């Protein structure tokens, strides 16, 4: 069965430090992978997505993610974190029979940024 | 920029009562979704809707749940007889329908509290 695991429930980094949020997936076929961010009181906003091609994908707000098939991973990175990046981050895989496009989410990682 | 809207932002109801959660997807989008997130747990897929019918549903989406697109703009989720365990944040999403890899846009959610 398809699944997504985010091993880190909560991460704290200092402002200006680099960030890596981990995501592992289980999916039989070529996965479609997504990272979403949720700020308090807001909906889920897409940061980036991967379907095929270049395994390093760039997203909004200076984020990037690397797809590694051999490790079944799709880790999210940012070289220098800003206080406004504090939020909850969700990794998801696009699944579903036919073309329904449903998303299967990981449990999320809460990012706290220290001044 | 177009966005998905949801009303109400917070709904409190008594166990056994019916509730209707409302969503206005982005105009011209073809696929519509409901997800829920119980506090402290993953975002879970409930149902997808396309061409005026359910295209996929999860095992959570039992006979107590129904969805409807009563007009050209609204998309609703009805829970006929709410249970305590239905307390959760409910997210609506829509996507254009170019393919399973296009982006799902999420609304801000409705927090449902069942007493």
């Amino acid at each position: 069965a398809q699944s997504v695991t985010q091993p880190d429930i909560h991460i704290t980094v200092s402002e200006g430090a680099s960030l890596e949020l981990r995501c592992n997936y289980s999916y039989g076929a070529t996965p479609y992978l997504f990272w979403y961010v949720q700020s308090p009181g807001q909906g889920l906003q897409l940061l980036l997505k991967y379907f095929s091609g270049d395994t390093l994908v760039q997203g909004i707000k200076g984020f990037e993610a690397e797809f590694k098939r051999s490790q079944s991973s799709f880790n999210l990175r940012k070289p220098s974190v800003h206080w406004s990046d504090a939020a909850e981050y969700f990794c998801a895989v696009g699944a579903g029979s036919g073309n329904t496009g449903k998303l299967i989410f990981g449990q999320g990682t809460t990012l706290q940024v220290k001044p | 920029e177009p966005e998905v809207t949801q009303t109400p932002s917070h709904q409190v109801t008594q166990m056994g009562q019916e509730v209707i959660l409302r969503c206005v997807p982005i105009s011209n989008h073809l696929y519509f979704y409901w997800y829920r997130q119980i506090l402290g747990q993953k975002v879970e897929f409930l149902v997808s809707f396309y061409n005026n019918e359910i295209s996929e549903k999860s095992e959570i989406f039992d006979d107590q749940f129904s969805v409807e697109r009563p007009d050209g703009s609204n998309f609703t989720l009805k829970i006929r007889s709410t249970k305590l365990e239905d307390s959760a944040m409910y997210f609506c999403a829509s996507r254009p329908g170019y393919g399973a890899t296009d982006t799902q846009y999420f609304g801000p959610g409705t927090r449902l509290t069942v007493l």
Side-chain angles (χ1 to χ4, degrees):
Chain A
Q2 306 108 340
S3 65
V4 176
T5 301
Q6 294 178 246
D8 305 305
I9 302 299
H10 193 116
I11 282 184
T12 300
V13 299
S14 297
E15 190 168 16
S18 63
L19 171 70
E20 182 170 32
L21 302 182
R22 295 182 292 166
C23 172
N24 294 99
Y25 67 89
S26 173
Y27 189 65
T30 301
Y32 303 139
L33 295 161
F34 304 82
W35 274 100
Y36 281 85
V37 61
Q38 183 183 29
S39 299
Q42 305 294 313
L44 297 164
Q45 182 185 24
L46 181 73
L47 286 174
L48 47 77
K49 57 185 177 181
Y50 170 81
F51 321 129
S52 63
D54 193 347
T55 56
L56 184 64
V57 292
Q58 303 296 320
I60 63 171
K61 305 184 181 187
F63 285 93
E64 65 179 27
E66 186 171 13
F67 169 63
K68 293 185 177 180
R69 185 186 297 276
S70 61
Q71 297 177 21
S72 297
S73 69
F74 188 57
N75 294 348
L76 181 72
R77 301 194 293 247
K78 186 168 185 178
S80 177
V81 168
H82 188 262
W83 64 266
S84 60
D85 294 324
E88 187 154 21
Y89 292 79
F90 294 94
C91 182
V93 63
S97 56
N99 194 30
T100 67
K102 77 176 184 184
L103 296 177
I104 295 172
F105 285 87
Q107 57 267 60
T109 297
T110 300
L111 173 65
Q112 185 177 4
V113 181
K114 292 190 301 186
Chain B
E1 182 177 330
E3 57 183 21
V4 177
T5 59
Q6 292 185 242
T7 54
S9 57
H10 192 181
Q11 173 98 42
V12 181
T13 189
Q14 296 291 324
M15 190 170 55
Q17 294 296 303
E18 174 184 287
V19 295
I20 297 177
L21 309 184
R22 302 181 191 280
C23 169
V24 179
I26 294 173
S27 177
N28 297 325
H29 280 195
L30 301 179
Y31 285 83
F32 313 108
Y33 304 85
W34 284 102
Y35 294 82
R36 79 173 185 189
Q37 184 182 28
I38 296 171
L39 189 64
Q41 298 186 24
K42 295 184 180 188
V43 176
E44 302 173 287
F45 167 78
L46 291 179
V47 66
S48 61
F49 192 85
Y50 169 72
N51 200 26
N52 281 321
E53 61 183 22
I54 291 173
S55 49
E56 187 172 358
K57 61 183 180 180
S58 73
E59 57 207 25
I60 303 168
F61 194 88
D62 61 21
D63 292 343
Q64 292 299 311
F65 292 88
S66 62
V67 289
E68 191 178 31
R69 188 157 163 80
D71 52 42
S73 59
N74 291 283
F75 180 52
T76 62
L77 174 70
K78 182 193 294 186
I79 309 175
R80 288 190 185 80
S81 178
T82 50
K83 307 181 186 69
L84 295 177
E85 54 265 35
D86 294 326
S87 294
M89 180 73 88
Y90 288 79
F91 294 104
C92 175
S94 69
R95 69 178 177 93
Y98 308 136
T101 60
D102 58 9
T103 299
Q104 283 189 37
Y105 295 85
F106 284 78
T110 293
R111 179 165 297 286
L112 176 64
T113 301
V114 182
L115 303 176

